[in-house]
Amino acid sequence: MNADAPGVLVVEDEAAQLEVLTYNLEAEGFRVEKAENGDEALLLVAETAPDIILLDWMLPGVSGIEICRRLKSNPSTRDVPIIMLSARSEEVDKVRGLETGADDYMVKPYSIAELMARVRTQLRRTRPSSVGELLRYEDIVLNAETHRVMRDSGEIKLGPTEFRLLSTFMEKPGRVWSREQLLDRVWGRDIYVDTRTVDVHIGRLRKALCQYGGTDPIRTVRGAGYALG
Ligand code: CA
């Protein structure tokens, strides 16, 4: 599985539902993490920084609504889209679901195809390159489908690791990424790579981006990591 495939956290206590969702999400190319209760979900959010969360309403222990409220009131997680899944269908519940900050809401039984479409809609906003959109930052244009990168000065040829680093940066200009976060996103969580490897590839990326001159868009943030702009 591609390490920079978008990560989905599925929080669902019904085994059959969890299995169906996981199967379909993996078939669509997503990385899937699973939690069967609220505590596990909160732990996995902190640990894996998912790109989107599918959150069942009725869970043992901490409820889906409470998880949603906590994640949406925390600055480090509030931008992660949450789609609430619920067996309840009353309009009042729908309103309550959205009031807690959920980005979307689906009532069970839902159509898997529609759920997948809504997942993509959310990701188009937060991780555009993962759904094939062009990313732009100043004079840099990155096409995730063709894997081509252009600057005003010409085409920038990048190795696969440098390409993934750049697309990670371009999805969130200004965001500071720690070396560990870049390792998780670009190399994958299951592979052991020394954090100094990140510095080596950042060096290569900078060199490639500036090969025809132009400014170095990557900023080293002392003690924290790297950011674009
Ligand atoms: Ca449930």
Side-chain angles (χ1 to χ4, degrees):
M1 182 65 59
N2 192 343
D4 70 342
V8 184
L9 172 63
V10 183
V11 190
E12 169 64 79
D13 61 315
E14 286 155 64
Q17 287 275 344
L18 188 57
E19 199 177 317
V20 168
L21 284 173
T22 304
Y23 174 84
N24 282 282
L25 287 161
E26 286 181 345
E28 297 266 326
F30 295 107
R31 285 181 295 121
V32 182
E33 299 285 346
K34 295 172 268 190
E36 292 179 21
N37 60 60
D39 293 317
E40 214 180 317
L42 290 167
L43 221 92
L44 276 175
V45 170
E47 206 175 282
T48 69
D51 295 299
I52 184 165
I53 302 168
L54 304 185
L55 181 57
D56 185 27
W57 179 305
M58 299 291 278
L59 291 168
V62 190
S63 75
I65 284 289
E66 181 54 27
I67 294 170
C68 185
R69 211 191 311 273
R70 287 192 204 175
L71 294 177
K72 288 299 182 186
S73 61
N74 180 341
S76 69
T77 53
R78 71 170 166 232
D79 294 334
V80 181
I82 295 178
I83 301 180
M84 294 286 306
L85 307 173
S86 171
R88 303 183 181 194
S89 58
E90 283 88 354
E91 202 63 21
V92 58
D93 283 344
K94 180 166 179 171
V95 171
R96 242 182 89 199
L98 296 171
E99 266 176 2
T100 60
D103 298 271
D104 202 352
Y105 183 100
M106 289 202 82
V107 174
K108 295 176 186 176
Y110 46 76
S111 126
I112 286 286
E114 190 184 346
L115 179 59
M116 294 299 149
R118 293 202 192 181
V119 166
R120 290 192 183 283
T121 300
Q122 294 297 328
L123 289 174
R124 195 162 289 125
R125 188 166 58 77
T126 55
R127 281 205 65 190
S129 77
S130 71
V131 286
E133 305 275 299
L134 283 185
L135 294 183
R136 291 171 204 277
Y137 177 77
E138 292 184 346
D139 67 328
I140 306 170
V141 181
L142 180 148
N143 184 322
E145 283 191 329
T146 60
H147 271 229
R148 292 181 77 183
V149 177
M150 301 295 295
R151 279 194 97 167
D152 283 350
S153 45
E155 181 169 2
I156 307 291
K157 299 271 191 206
L158 296 176
T161 302
E162 287 71 35
F163 181 85
R164 287 206 290 271
L165 274 171
L166 182 62
S167 62
T168 299
F169 284 128
M170 288 185 71
E171 276 163 5
K172 293 187 174 115
R175 170 178 168 169
V176 178
W177 295 84
S178 70
R179 289 171 178 78
E180 289 75 16
Q181 287 169 332
L182 289 172
L183 278 177
D184 285 352
R185 175 60 74 87
V186 174
W187 281 263
R189 281 202 307 136
D190 305 329
I191 297 164
Y192 178 77
V193 185
D194 194 285
T195 49
R196 276 170 301 187
T197 306
V198 175
D199 302 331
V200 171
H201 286 274
I202 292 279
R204 285 188 197 154
L205 174 59
R206 281 179 155 147
K207 200 172 160 197
L209 287 171
C210 299
Q211 61 189 293
Y212 312 110
T215 52
D216 175 6
I218 297 169
R219 187 161 55 94
T220 304
V221 184
R222 195 174 283 273
Y226 297 100
L228 182 68

